[in-house]
Coordinates of all heavy atoms in Angstrom, one line a residue:
M1092 N -60.8 20.6 23.2 CA -60.5 21.0 24.6 C -60.7 22.5 24.9 O -60.1 23.3 24.1 CB -59.2 20.6 25.1 CG -58.9 20.6 26.6 SD -59.6 19.3 27.4 CE -59.0 17.9 26.5
R1093 N -61.6 22.9 25.8 CA -61.8 24.3 26.0 C -61.0 24.7 27.2 O -61.0 24.0 28.3 CB -63.2 24.6 26.1 CG -63.7 26.0 26.3 CD -65.1 26.1 25.9 NE -65.5 25.9 24.6 CZ -65.8 26.9 23.7 NH1 -65.8 28.1 24.0 NH2 -65.9 26.5 22.5
V1094 N -60.3 25.9 27.1 CA -59.5 26.3 28.2 C -60.1 27.8 28.6 O -60.5 28.5 27.7 CB -58.0 26.4 28.0 CG1 -57.4 25.0 27.9 CG2 -57.7 27.2 26.9
Y1095 N -59.9 28.1 29.9 CA -60.4 29.3 30.4 C -59.2 30.2 30.9 O -58.3 29.6 31.6 CB -61.4 29.3 31.5 CG -62.6 28.3 31.0 CD1 -62.5 26.9 31.2 CD2 -63.6 28.9 30.3 CE1 -63.6 26.1 30.6 CE2 -64.6 28.0 29.9 CZ -64.7 26.7 30.0 OH -65.6 25.8 29.5
E1096 N -59.2 31.5 30.5 CA -57.9 32.3 30.8 C -58.3 33.6 31.5 O -59.2 34.3 31.1 CB -57.1 32.5 29.5 CG -55.9 33.3 29.8 CD -55.9 34.7 29.9 OE1 -56.8 35.1 29.2 OE2 -55.1 35.2 30.6
C1097 N -57.5 33.9 32.5 CA -57.5 35.3 33.1 C -56.3 35.5 33.8 O -55.7 34.5 34.4 CB -58.7 35.5 34.0 SG -59.1 37.2 34.5
C1098 N -55.7 36.7 33.8 CA -54.3 37.0 34.4 C -53.3 36.0 34.1 O -52.5 35.8 35.0 CB -54.8 37.1 36.0 SG -55.8 38.2 36.5
G1099 N -53.3 35.7 32.8 CA -52.2 34.8 32.4 C -52.2 33.4 33.0 O -51.4 32.6 32.7
V1100 N -53.4 33.0 33.6 CA -53.5 31.6 34.2 C -54.6 30.9 33.2 O -55.7 31.4 33.1 CB -54.0 31.6 35.7 CG1 -54.1 30.1 36.1 CG2 -52.9 32.3 36.5
E1101 N -54.2 29.8 32.7 CA -55.1 28.9 32.0 C -55.6 27.7 32.6 O -54.8 27.2 33.3 CB -54.6 28.7 30.6 CG -54.6 29.8 29.7 CD -54.1 29.4 28.2 OE1 -53.5 28.5 28.1 OE2 -54.6 29.9 27.2
S1102 N -56.8 27.4 32.5 CA -57.4 26.2 33.2 C -58.4 25.5 32.3 O -59.2 26.2 31.6 CB -58.0 26.5 34.7 OG -58.7 25.4 35.1
V1103 N -58.4 24.1 32.5 CA -59.5 23.4 31.8 C -60.9 23.3 32.5 O -62.0 23.1 32.2 CB -59.2 22.0 31.4 CG1 -58.1 22.0 30.3 CG2 -58.7 21.2 32.6
T1104 N -60.7 23.8 33.9 CA -61.9 23.9 34.8 C -62.5 25.3 34.6 O -61.8 26.2 34.8 CB -61.4 23.6 36.2 OG1 -60.6 22.5 36.2 CG2 -62.6 23.4 37.1
K1105 N -63.8 25.1 34.4 CA -64.7 26.4 34.2 C -64.9 27.1 35.7 O -65.5 26.4 36.4 CB -65.9 26.2 33.6 CG -66.6 27.6 33.2 CD -67.5 27.3 32.1 CE -68.3 28.7 31.9 NZ -67.6 29.8 31.6
K1106 N -64.3 28.2 36.0 CA -64.5 28.8 37.1 C -65.2 30.1 36.8 O -64.9 30.8 35.8 CB -63.3 29.1 37.9 CG -62.6 27.9 38.5 CD -61.4 28.2 39.2 CE -60.2 28.6 38.3 NZ -58.8 28.8 39.0
V1107 N -66.1 30.5 37.6 CA -66.9 31.8 37.3 C -65.9 33.0 37.5 O -65.8 33.9 36.6 CB -68.1 31.9 38.0 CG1 -68.8 33.4 37.8 CG2 -69.1 30.7 37.8
Y1108 N -65.2 33.0 38.7 CA -64.2 34.1 38.9 C -62.9 33.7 38.9 O -62.5 32.6 39.4 CB -64.7 34.7 40.3 CG -66.1 35.2 40.2 CD1 -67.2 34.6 40.8 CD2 -66.4 36.6 39.7 CE1 -68.4 35.1 40.8 CE2 -67.6 37.1 39.6 CZ -68.7 36.3 40.3 OH -70.0 36.9 40.1
C1109 N -62.1 34.7 38.6 CA -60.6 34.5 38.5 C -60.1 34.7 40.0 O -60.5 35.4 40.8 CB -60.0 35.6 37.8 SG -58.1 35.7 37.8
S1110 N -59.2 33.6 40.4 CA -58.8 33.7 41.8 C -57.7 34.7 42.0 O -57.3 35.1 43.1 CB -58.1 32.3 42.1 OG -57.1 31.9 41.1
I1111 N -57.2 35.4 40.9 CA -56.2 36.4 41.1 C -56.9 37.8 41.3 O -56.8 38.6 42.2 CB -55.2 36.5 40.1 CG1 -54.4 35.0 40.0 CG2 -54.2 37.6 40.1 CD1 -53.6 34.8 38.9
C1112 N -57.6 38.2 40.2 CA -58.3 39.5 40.2 C -59.8 39.5 40.6 O -60.3 40.5 40.7 CB -58.3 40.1 38.7 SG -59.2 39.4 37.5
R1113 N -60.3 38.3 40.9 CA -61.7 38.3 41.2 C -62.7 38.8 40.4 O -63.9 39.0 40.7 CB -61.8 39.1 42.7 CG -60.8 38.7 43.7 CD -61.3 37.5 44.4 NE -60.1 36.9 45.2 CZ -60.0 35.7 45.7 NH1 -61.0 34.8 45.5 NH2 -59.0 35.3 46.6
Q1114 N -62.4 38.9 39.1 CA -63.3 39.4 38.1 C -63.8 38.1 37.4 O -63.2 37.0 37.5 CB -62.6 40.2 37.1 CG -61.9 41.5 37.7 CD -63.0 42.4 38.2 OE1 -63.9 42.8 37.4 NE2 -62.7 42.7 39.5
E1115 N -65.0 38.3 36.8 CA -65.5 37.2 36.0 C -64.6 36.9 34.9 O -64.0 37.6 34.2 CB -66.8 37.6 35.4 CG -68.0 36.7 35.4 CD -69.2 37.2 34.8 OE1 -69.7 38.2 35.4 OE2 -69.8 36.6 33.8
I1116 N -64.4 35.5 34.7 CA -63.5 35.0 33.6 C -64.3 35.0 32.2 O -65.3 34.3 32.1 CB -62.9 33.6 33.9 CG1 -62.0 33.7 35.2 CG2 -62.1 33.1 32.8 CD1 -61.5 32.3 35.7
K1117 N -63.8 35.7 31.3 CA -64.4 36.0 30.1 C -63.6 35.3 28.9 O -64.3 35.1 27.9 CB -64.7 37.4 29.7 CG -65.6 38.1 30.7 CD -66.1 39.4 30.3 CE -66.9 40.4 31.1 NZ -66.3 40.6 32.4
N1118 N -62.5 35.0 29.1 CA -61.6 34.5 28.0 C -61.7 32.9 27.8 O -61.3 32.3 28.9 CB -60.2 34.9 28.0 CG -60.1 36.5 28.2 OD1 -60.9 37.1 27.6 ND2 -59.2 36.9 29.0
E1119 N -62.2 32.4 26.9 CA -62.2 31.0 26.7 C -61.9 30.6 25.2 O -62.2 31.5 24.3 CB -63.4 30.3 27.1 CG -64.7 30.9 26.5 CD -65.9 30.1 27.0 OE1 -66.5 30.4 28.1 OE2 -66.4 29.1 26.4
R1120 N -61.2 29.6 25.0 CA -60.9 29.3 23.6 C -60.6 27.8 23.5 O -60.5 27.1 24.5 CB -59.5 30.0 23.2 CG -58.4 29.6 23.9 CD -57.1 30.6 23.7 NE -56.0 30.2 24.6 CZ -54.9 29.4 24.1 NH1 -55.0 28.9 22.9 NH2 -54.0 29.1 24.9
E1121 N -60.7 27.4 22.2 CA -60.4 25.8 21.9 C -59.1 25.7 21.7 O -58.4 26.4 21.1 CB -61.2 25.5 20.8 CG -62.7 25.2 21.0 CD -63.0 24.0 21.8 OE1 -62.3 23.2 21.7 OE2 -63.8 24.2 22.7
V1122 N -58.3 24.5 22.3 CA -57.0 24.2 22.0 C -57.1 22.7 21.7 O -58.1 22.0 21.8 CB -56.1 24.3 23.3 CG1 -56.0 25.8 23.6 CG2 -56.4 23.6 24.4
P1123 N -56.0 22.2 21.0 CA -56.0 20.7 20.5 C -56.1 19.9 21.8 O -55.8 20.3 22.8 CB -54.7 20.5 19.9 CG -54.2 22.0 19.5 CD -54.8 22.8 20.5
D1124 N -56.8 18.7 21.5 CA -56.9 17.6 22.6 C -55.5 16.8 22.7 O -55.5 15.7 23.1 CB -58.0 16.7 22.3 CG -59.2 17.4 22.3 OD1 -59.5 18.3 23.1 OD2 -60.1 16.9 21.5
E1125 N -54.3 17.5 22.5 CA -53.1 16.9 22.4 C -52.2 17.5 23.4 O -52.4 18.7 23.8 CB -52.5 16.9 21.1 CG -53.3 16.4 19.9 CD -52.7 17.0 18.5 OE1 -51.5 17.3 18.5 OE2 -53.6 17.1 17.7
G1126 N -51.3 16.7 23.9 CA -50.3 17.4 24.8 C -49.1 16.5 25.0 O -48.9 15.4 24.3
T1127 N -48.3 16.7 25.9 CA -47.2 15.9 26.3 C -47.2 15.6 27.7 O -47.8 16.4 28.6 CB -45.8 16.6 26.1 OG1 -45.8 17.9 26.7 CG2 -45.6 16.8 24.5
V1128 N -46.7 14.4 28.1 CA -46.8 14.0 29.6 C -45.8 14.8 30.3 O -44.6 15.0 30.1 CB -46.3 12.6 29.7 CG1 -46.2 12.2 31.1 CG2 -47.4 11.7 28.9
Y1129 N -46.3 15.6 31.3 CA -45.6 16.4 32.2 C -45.2 15.8 33.4 O -43.9 15.9 33.8 CB -46.5 17.6 32.6 CG -45.8 18.6 33.5 CD1 -45.1 19.7 32.9 CD2 -46.0 18.6 34.8 CE1 -44.5 20.6 33.6 CE2 -45.3 19.6 35.7 CZ -44.6 20.7 35.0 OH -44.0 21.7 35.9
S1130 N -45.9 14.9 34.0 CA -45.6 14.0 35.0 C -46.6 12.9 35.1 O -47.6 12.9 34.6 CB -45.4 14.7 36.4 OG -46.7 15.0 36.9
Y1131 N -46.2 11.8 35.8 CA -47.2 10.7 35.9 C -46.9 9.8 37.1 O -45.7 9.8 37.7 CB -47.0 9.8 34.7 CG -45.7 9.0 34.4 CD1 -45.6 7.8 34.9 CD2 -44.7 9.6 33.9 CE1 -44.4 7.0 34.7 CE2 -43.5 8.9 33.7 CZ -43.4 7.6 34.2 OH -42.3 7.0 34.0
T1132 N -47.9 9.1 37.4 CA -47.8 8.2 38.6 C -48.4 6.8 38.1 O -49.5 6.8 37.5 CB -48.6 8.7 39.8 OG1 -48.2 10.0 40.1 CG2 -48.5 7.7 41.1
V1133 N -47.7 5.7 38.3 CA -48.4 4.3 38.0 C -49.3 3.9 39.3 O -48.7 3.9 40.4 CB -47.4 3.3 37.7 CG1 -48.0 2.0 37.3 CG2 -46.5 3.9 36.6
I1134 N -50.5 3.7 39.0 CA -51.4 3.2 40.0 C -51.5 1.7 40.0 O -51.9 1.1 39.0 CB -53.0 3.9 39.8 CG1 -52.9 5.3 39.6 CG2 -53.8 3.2 40.9 CD1 -52.4 6.1 40.9
H1135 N -51.0 1.1 41.1 CA -51.0 -0.3 41.0 C -52.2 -0.9 41.9 O -52.7 -2.0 41.7 CB -49.6 -0.9 41.7 CG -48.5 -0.8 40.9 ND1 -48.2 -1.5 39.7 CD2 -47.4 0.2 40.8 CE1 -47.2 -1.1 39.2 NE2 -46.6 -0.1 39.8
I1136 N -52.4 -0.1 43.0 CA -53.6 -0.5 43.8 C -54.7 0.5 43.6 O -54.6 1.7 44.1 CB -53.1 -0.5 45.3 CG1 -52.1 -1.6 45.4 CG2 -54.4 -0.9 46.2 CD1 -51.4 -1.6 46.7
A1137 N -55.8 0.2 42.9 CA -56.7 1.1 42.5 C -57.9 1.0 43.4 O -58.1 0.0 44.0 CB -57.0 0.8 41.0
P1138 N -58.9 2.1 43.3 CA -60.0 2.0 44.0 C -60.8 0.8 43.5 O -60.7 0.4 42.3 CB -60.7 3.4 43.7 CG -59.6 4.1 43.3 CD -58.5 3.4 42.7
A1139 N -61.7 0.2 44.3 CA -62.5 -1.1 43.7 C -63.0 -0.9 42.5 O -62.9 -1.9 41.6 CB -63.5 -1.4 44.8
E1140 N -63.6 0.2 42.1 CA -64.4 0.2 40.9 C -63.4 0.2 39.6 O -63.7 -0.1 38.5 CB -65.1 1.6 40.7 CG -64.3 2.9 40.8 CD -65.2 4.1 40.9 OE1 -66.0 4.3 40.1 OE2 -65.1 4.9 41.9
Y1141 N -62.1 0.5 39.8 CA -61.1 0.4 38.8 C -60.1 -0.7 39.0 O -59.2 -0.8 38.2 CB -60.2 1.7 38.7 CG -61.1 3.0 38.6 CD1 -60.9 4.0 39.4 CD2 -62.0 3.1 37.5 CE1 -61.6 5.3 39.3 CE2 -62.8 4.3 37.5 CZ -62.7 5.3 38.3 OH -63.4 6.4 38.1
A1142 N -60.3 -1.5 40.0 CA -59.4 -2.5 40.3 C -58.9 -3.4 39.1 O -57.8 -3.8 39.0 CB -60.0 -3.4 41.4
E1143 N -59.9 -3.8 38.4 CA -59.4 -4.7 37.2 C -58.5 -4.0 36.1 O -58.1 -4.5 35.2 CB -60.7 -5.4 36.5 CG -61.4 -4.6 35.6 CD -62.6 -3.8 36.3 OE1 -62.6 -3.5 37.5 OE2 -63.6 -3.5 35.6
L1144 N -58.5 -2.6 36.2 CA -57.8 -1.9 35.2 C -56.3 -1.6 35.6 O -55.5 -1.3 34.8 CB -58.5 -0.5 35.0 CG -59.9 -0.4 34.6 CD1 -60.4 0.9 34.6 CD2 -60.1 -1.1 33.2
A1145 N -56.1 -1.9 36.8 CA -54.7 -1.6 37.4 C -53.7 -2.7 36.9 O -54.1 -3.8 36.6 CB -54.7 -1.7 39.0
P1146 N -52.5 -2.4 36.6 CA -52.0 -1.0 36.8 C -52.3 -0.1 35.7 O -52.3 -0.5 34.5 CB -50.4 -1.2 37.0 CG -50.2 -2.4 36.0 CD -51.4 -3.3 36.3
Y1147 N -52.5 1.2 35.9 CA -52.7 2.2 34.8 C -51.8 3.6 35.3 O -51.3 3.5 36.5 CB -54.2 2.4 34.6 CG -55.0 2.9 35.9 CD1 -55.0 4.2 36.2 CD2 -55.7 2.0 36.6 CE1 -55.8 4.6 37.3 CE2 -56.3 2.3 37.6 CZ -56.4 3.7 38.1 OH -57.2 4.1 39.2
V1148 N -51.8 4.4 34.5 CA -51.0 5.5 34.7 C -52.0 6.7 35.0 O -52.9 7.0 34.1 CB -50.1 5.8 33.6 CG1 -49.4 7.2 33.8 CG2 -49.1 4.7 33.4
V1149 N -51.9 7.6 35.9 CA -52.4 8.9 36.1 C -51.4 10.0 35.6 O -50.3 9.9 36.3 CB -53.1 9.1 37.4 CG1 -53.7 10.6 37.6 CG2 -54.2 8.1 37.6
A1150 N -51.6 10.6 34.6 CA -50.6 11.5 34.1 C -51.2 12.9 34.2 O -52.4 13.2 34.1 CB -50.2 11.2 32.7
L1151 N -50.2 13.9 34.5 CA -50.5 15.3 34.2 C -50.0 15.8 32.8 O -48.8 15.5 32.4 CB -49.8 16.1 35.3 CG -50.1 17.6 35.4 CD1 -51.7 17.8 35.9 CD2 -49.3 18.3 36.5
V1152 N -51.0 16.2 32.0 CA -50.7 16.4 30.6 C -50.5 18.0 30.2 O -51.5 18.7 30.7 CB -51.7 15.8 29.7 CG1 -51.5 16.3 28.2 CG2 -51.6 14.2 29.6
Q1153 N -49.4 18.3 29.7 CA -49.2 19.7 29.4 C -49.9 19.8 28.0 O -49.5 19.2 27.0 CB -47.8 20.1 29.3 CG -47.5 21.6 28.6 CD -47.8 22.7 29.7 OE1 -47.5 22.6 30.9 NE2 -48.9 23.5 29.4
L1154 N -51.1 20.6 27.9 CA -51.8 20.7 26.7 C -51.1 21.6 25.6 O -50.4 22.6 26.0 CB -53.2 21.3 26.9 CG -54.2 20.4 27.8 CD1 -55.4 21.3 28.1 CD2 -54.5 19.2 26.9
K1155 N -51.3 21.1 24.4 CA -50.5 21.8 23.4 C -51.2 23.2 23.1 O -52.3 23.3 23.3 CB -50.8 21.0 21.9 CG -50.0 21.3 20.9 CD -50.3 20.4 19.6 CE -49.4 20.8 18.4 NZ -49.9 19.9 17.4
D1156 N -50.3 24.1 22.7 CA -50.7 25.5 22.5 C -51.5 26.2 23.8 O -52.3 27.0 23.5 CB -51.7 25.6 21.3 CG -50.9 25.1 20.1 OD1 -49.7 25.1 20.0 OD2 -51.5 24.7 19.1
S1157 N -51.2 25.6 24.9 CA -51.7 26.2 26.1 C -50.9 26.1 27.3 O -50.0 25.3 27.3 CB -53.1 25.5 26.4 OG -53.6 25.8 27.6
K1158 N -51.3 27.0 28.3 CA -50.5 26.9 29.6 C -51.2 25.8 30.5 O -50.8 25.5 31.6 CB -50.4 28.3 30.2 CG -49.2 29.2 29.5 CD -49.4 30.5 30.1 CE -50.2 31.4 29.3 NZ -50.0 32.9 29.7
A1159 N -52.3 25.5 30.1 CA -53.3 24.6 31.0 C -52.7 23.2 31.0 O -52.1 22.7 30.1 CB -54.7 24.6 30.6
K1160 N -52.8 22.6 32.2 CA -52.4 21.1 32.3 C -53.7 20.4 32.7 O -54.5 20.9 33.5 CB -51.2 20.9 33.4 CG -50.0 21.6 33.1 CD -48.9 21.2 34.2 CE -47.6 21.9 33.9 NZ -47.8 23.4 34.3
L1161 N -53.7 19.1 32.5 CA -54.8 18.3 32.6 C -54.4 17.0 33.2 O -53.5 16.2 32.8 CB -55.7 18.0 31.3 CG -56.9 17.3 31.1 CD1 -58.0 17.9 31.8 CD2 -57.1 16.9 29.7
T1162 N -55.3 16.5 34.2 CA -55.0 15.3 34.8 C -55.8 14.3 34.0 O -57.0 14.3 33.7 CB -55.5 15.2 36.3 OG1 -54.8 16.2 36.9 CG2 -55.2 13.9 36.9
V1163 N -55.1 13.2 33.5 CA -55.8 12.1 32.7 C -55.2 10.7 33.1 O -54.4 10.6 33.9 CB -55.4 12.3 31.1 CG1 -55.6 13.8 30.7 CG2 -53.8 11.9 31.0
R1164 N -56.1 9.7 32.4 CA -55.6 8.3 32.7 C -55.0 7.9 31.4 O -55.6 8.2 30.3 CB -56.9 7.5 33.3 CG -56.4 6.2 33.7 CD -57.7 5.4 34.1 NE -58.5 6.0 35.0 CZ -59.8 5.8 35.3 NH1 -60.4 4.9 34.5 NH2 -60.4 6.5 36.2
I1165 N -54.0 7.1 31.5 CA -53.4 6.5 30.3 C -53.2 5.1 30.5 O -52.7 4.6 31.7 CB -52.0 7.1 30.0 CG1 -52.2 8.7 29.8 CG2 -51.4 6.5 28.9 CD1 -50.9 9.5 29.5
Y1166 N -53.4 4.1 29.6 CA -53.2 2.8 29.7 C -51.9 2.5 28.9 O -51.7 2.8 27.7 CB -54.4 1.9 29.0 CG -55.6 2.2 29.9 CD1 -56.8 2.9 29.4 CD2 -55.8 1.8 31.2 CE1 -57.9 3.2 30.1 CE2 -56.7 2.0 32.0 CZ -57.8 2.7 31.6 OH -58.9 3.1 32.2
G1167 N -51.0 1.8 29.5 CA -49.8 1.5 28.8 C -48.6 2.4 29.5 O -48.9 3.2 30.3
D1168 N -47.5 2.0 29.0 CA -46.3 2.7 29.6 C -46.1 4.1 28.9 O -46.4 4.3 27.7 CB -45.0 1.9 29.4 CG -44.9 0.7 30.1 OD1 -45.5 0.7 31.2 OD2 -44.3 -0.3 29.6
V1169 N -45.8 5.1 29.7 CA -45.5 6.4 29.2 C -44.2 6.9 29.8 O -43.8 6.4 31.0 CB -46.6 7.4 29.4 CG1 -47.8 7.1 28.5 CG2 -46.9 7.5 30.8
Q1170 N -43.5 7.9 29.2 CA -42.4 8.6 29.8 C -42.8 10.1 29.7 O -43.5 10.5 28.9 CB -41.2 8.3 28.9 CG -40.8 6.8 28.7 CD -40.2 6.3 29.8 OE1 -39.3 7.0 30.6 NE2 -40.4 4.9 30.2
I1171 N -42.0 10.7 30.7 CA -42.2 12.3 30.7 C -41.7 12.7 29.3 O -40.7 12.3 28.7 CB -41.4 12.8 31.7 CG1 -42.0 12.4 33.1 CG2 -41.2 14.3 31.6 CD1 -41.3 12.8 34.4
G1172 N -42.7 13.6 28.8 CA -42.3 14.1 27.4 C -42.9 13.5 26.2 O -43.0 14.1 25.1
D1173 N -43.6 12.3 26.5 CA -44.3 11.6 25.4 C -45.4 12.3 25.0 O -46.2 12.9 25.7 CB -44.8 10.2 25.9 CG -43.8 9.1 25.9 OD1 -42.7 9.4 25.5 OD2 -44.1 8.1 26.4
P1174 N -45.6 12.3 23.6 CA -46.8 13.1 22.9 C -48.0 12.2 23.2 O -48.0 11.0 23.0 CB -46.4 13.2 21.5 CG -45.5 12.2 21.2 CD -44.8 12.0 22.5
V1175 N -49.1 12.6 23.6 CA -50.4 12.0 23.8 C -51.6 12.7 23.2 O -51.4 13.9 23.0 CB -50.5 11.7 25.4 CG1 -49.5 10.7 25.9 CG2 -50.4 13.1 26.2
Q1176 N -52.6 11.9 23.1 CA -53.8 12.6 22.5 C -55.0 11.9 23.2 O -55.0 10.8 23.7 CB -53.8 12.4 21.0 CG -54.0 10.8 20.5 CD -53.9 10.7 19.1 OE1 -52.8 11.1 18.5 NE2 -54.8 10.0 18.5
L1177 N -56.1 12.6 23.2 CA -57.4 12.3 23.8 C -57.8 11.0 23.0 O -58.0 11.0 21.8 CB -58.5 13.3 23.7 CG -59.7 13.1 24.4 CD1 -59.5 12.8 25.9 CD2 -60.8 14.2 24.1
D1178 N -58.2 10.0 23.8 CA -58.9 8.7 23.3 C -60.3 8.8 23.6 O -61.1 8.8 22.5 CB -58.3 7.6 24.0 CG -58.6 6.2 23.2 OD1 -59.1 6.2 22.2 OD2 -58.6 5.2 24.0
Q1179 N -60.7 9.0 24.7 CA -62.1 9.1 25.0 C -62.4 9.7 26.5 O -61.4 9.8 27.1 CB -62.9 7.7 25.0 CG -62.3 6.7 25.9 CD -62.8 5.3 25.8 OE1 -64.0 5.2 25.7 NE2 -62.0 4.2 25.9
I1180 N -63.5 10.2 26.7 CA -63.9 10.7 27.9 C -64.9 9.7 28.6 O -66.0 9.4 28.0 CB -64.5 12.0 27.9 CG1 -63.5 13.0 27.1 CG2 -64.8 12.6 29.3 CD1 -63.9 14.3 26.9
V1181 N -64.6 9.1 29.7 CA -65.4 8.2 30.4 C -65.8 8.7 31.8 O -65.1 8.9 32.6 CB -64.8 6.7 30.5 CG1 -65.8 5.7 31.3 CG2 -64.4 6.3 29.2
D1182 N -67.2 8.8 32.0 CA -67.6 9.3 33.3 C -66.8 10.6 33.8 O -66.5 10.7 35.0 CB -67.5 8.2 34.3 CG -68.4 7.1 34.1 OD1 -69.5 7.3 33.4 OD2 -68.1 6.0 34.5
G1183 N -66.5 11.4 32.8 CA -65.9 12.7 33.2 C -64.3 12.5 33.3 O -63.7 13.5 33.6
T1184 N -63.9 11.3 33.2 CA -62.3 11.1 33.2 C -61.8 11.1 31.8 O -62.4 10.4 30.9 CB -62.1 9.8 33.8 OG1 -62.6 9.7 35.1 CG2 -60.7 9.4 34.0
Y1185 N -60.8 11.9 31.6 CA -60.2 11.9 30.4 C -59.2 10.8 30.2 O -58.3 10.6 31.0 CB -59.3 13.3 30.1 CG -60.2 14.5 30.2 CD1 -60.5 15.2 31.2 CD2 -60.7 15.0 28.9 CE1 -61.5 16.3 31.2 CE2 -61.5 16.0 28.7 CZ -62.0 16.7 29.9 OH -62.7 17.7 29.8
I1186 N -59.4 9.9 29.1 CA -58.5 8.8 28.8 C -57.7 9.4 27.7 O -58.1 9.5 26.6 CB -59.4 7.6 28.5 CG1 -60.5 7.4 29.4 CG2 -58.3 6.4 28.4 CD1 -60.1 6.8 30.8
Y1187 N -56.3 9.3 27.9 CA -55.5 9.7 26.9 C -54.7 8.3 26.3 O -54.7 7.3 27.1 CB -54.5 10.7 27.2 CG -55.0 12.1 27.1 CD1 -56.1 12.5 27.5 CD2 -54.2 13.0 26.2 CE1 -56.7 14.0 27.2 CE2 -54.6 14.3 25.8 CZ -55.8 14.7 26.4 OH -56.4 15.9 26.1
K1188 N -54.2 8.4 25.2 CA -53.3 7.5 24.7 C -52.1 8.0 24.0 O -52.1 9.3 23.7 CB -54.1 6.5 23.7 CG -54.5 7.3 22.4 CD -55.3 6.4 21.4 CE -55.7 7.2 20.4 NZ -56.5 6.3 19.3
K1189 N -51.1 7.3 23.8 CA -49.8 7.7 23.2 C -50.2 8.1 21.8 O -50.8 7.4 21.1 CB -48.7 6.7 23.2 CG -47.8 6.8 24.4 CD -46.5 6.3 24.1 CE -46.1 5.2 25.0 NZ -44.7 4.7 25.0
S1190 N -49.7 9.3 21.4 CA -49.9 9.7 19.9 C -49.2 8.9 19.0 O -48.0 8.6 19.1 CB -49.4 11.2 20.0 OG -49.7 11.8 18.6
N1191 N -49.9 8.7 17.9 CA -49.3 7.9 16.9 C -48.3 8.8 16.1 O -47.3 8.3 15.4 CB -50.2 7.3 15.9 CG -51.3 6.5 16.5 OD1 -50.9 5.7 17.4 ND2 -52.5 6.5 16.3
A1192 N -48.7 10.1 16.1 CA -47.8 11.1 15.2 C -46.6 11.4 15.9 O -46.2 12.6 15.9 CB -48.7 12.2 14.8
A1193 N -45.8 10.5 16.4 CA -44.6 10.9 17.1 C -43.4 10.6 16.2 O -43.4 9.8 15.3 CB -44.5 10.0 18.4
Ligands
ZN524 ZN1 -58.0 37.7 36.5

């Protein structure tokens, strides 16, 4: 997972300019594809294209070794603070699963 940093703010979204200092963002680094569940919402009624997948969890994951948070989809039950890891990326959506190394 690549994160971009300027003025103490880290993001997984690549922005050309920092929203604080308006300078070009030059700092980027790799961090593990792992994290912990920061918050989550269970989606029971999904958009048509995901209807057969419901219910599923949309979670905000606090990435390990980073200040950046990432919105992901998780199948199965999770709790806040659960360790999770990247499973796959489908159509630009990050699919996470509970980490085995818990
Ligand atoms: Zn900045």
